[in-house]
Amino acid sequence: MGEVKQQRLQNRLGPEIKEFREACLTLQLATVDINGKPNVSYAPFALLDDGYYVLISQIAKHARNLLDNPQVSLMMIEDETTAKTLYARKRLTFEADVSVVERNSDRWTSAVVALRDRFGEIIDGLSGLEDFVLFRLAPTQGLFVKGFGKAFQVSGDDLVDFVHLEQGHRRIKDGSEIETPTDKL
């Protein structure tokens, strides 16, 4: 993709992705345990310059999974009630590397303040509990889906590397193929 075209796409999609992400309060988290069994859960998050931060109790399965297997897939997704179609809800997904933030470090303090700003006093109580762990989820590569045929690859570093996916949906070749351009799927 040409540099000018890439910049136009960045200028158009960058603010839209930022607005979408800021409207989301929670991340859906896909984790895997030490035996390879998947688990899906969610957690409220705060975004700082180096990743997404979640505060989760080690009692929760997804926290234990993150400790045992520091890889995660995360997703922010449009609310079902506002989606035009449930088959093409707007969503932002990332693969991410996981690290534990040391309690009372500068990064811990910054992330807890950001979480408190978003979610209020409950963070003071949760961050003071021994079983709660602060995780940093550093995104590596992702995908922003706006709808059917509108999927864009997104880099993990400040969302600057967008590439529209080339391959689209194709009808099964069973004799009922679309014959004219006016036929609809």
Side-chain angles (χ1 to χ4, degrees):
M1 177 182 289
E3 200 171 310
V4 171
K5 198 172 184 183
Q6 180 75 29
Q7 189 59 44
R8 272 193 237 130
L9 190 58
Q10 171 70 38
N11 290 342
R12 184 169 53 90
L13 290 178
E16 185 176 345
I17 290 172
K18 182 180 179 191
E19 180 181 326
F20 176 72
R21 184 180 52 224
E22 288 174 355
C24 294
L25 296 175
T26 61
L27 297 172
Q28 315 307 307
L29 302 171
T31 62
V32 178
D33 71 13
I34 58 174
N35 297 315
K37 292 189 179 192
N39 176 257
V40 66
S41 191
Y42 81 96
F45 75 95
L47 180 66
L48 296 179
D49 60 343
D50 63 344
Y52 297 84
Y53 286 81
V54 295
L55 186 63
I56 309 171
S57 169
Q58 292 180 67
I59 295 168
K61 185 174 187 169
H62 58 291
R64 293 190 314 270
N65 289 352
L66 292 173
L67 291 167
D68 290 337
N69 184 353
Q71 298 290 307
V72 67
S73 180
L74 56 92
M75 178 174 70
M76 290 154 273
I77 189 164
E78 178 181 26
D79 190 289
E80 292 175 358
T81 60
T82 60
K84 291 179 186 174
T85 175
L86 292 179
Y87 280 95
R89 288 163 65 191
K90 187 183 290 186
R91 58 199 176 273
L92 180 60
T93 61
F94 282 105
E95 293 175 14
D97 296 324
V98 179
S99 59
V100 173
V101 179
E102 186 178 327
R103 191 174 285 273
N104 299 320
S105 66
D106 289 343
R107 187 47 64 181
W108 168 279
T109 302
S110 296
V112 167
V113 167
L115 286 163
R116 184 184 311 117
D117 288 348
R118 289 193 91 191
F119 304 110
E121 292 177 9
I122 190 169
I123 300 302
D124 293 330
L126 297 177
S127 64
L129 297 174
E130 194 174 277
D131 59 296
F132 272 77
V133 177
L134 181 64
F135 294 96
R136 178 176 71 100
L137 313 176
T140 55
Q141 59 182 346
L143 191 67
F144 179 57
V145 178
K146 292 178 57 168
F148 286 117
K150 298 177 183 172
F152 302 86
Q153 292 177 344
V154 181
S155 70
D157 62 341
D158 204 23
L159 308 174
V160 295
D161 185 22
F162 295 96
V163 180
H164 188 274
L165 300 178
E166 298 296 325
Q167 186 175 351
H169 302 289
R170 290 183 272 169
R171 187 175 288 283
I172 295 172
K173 303 251 187 235
D174 64 357
S176 65
E177 290 81 31
I178 295 175
E179 298 294 325
T180 66
T182 58
D183 293 342
K184 302 285 184 197
L185 289 178

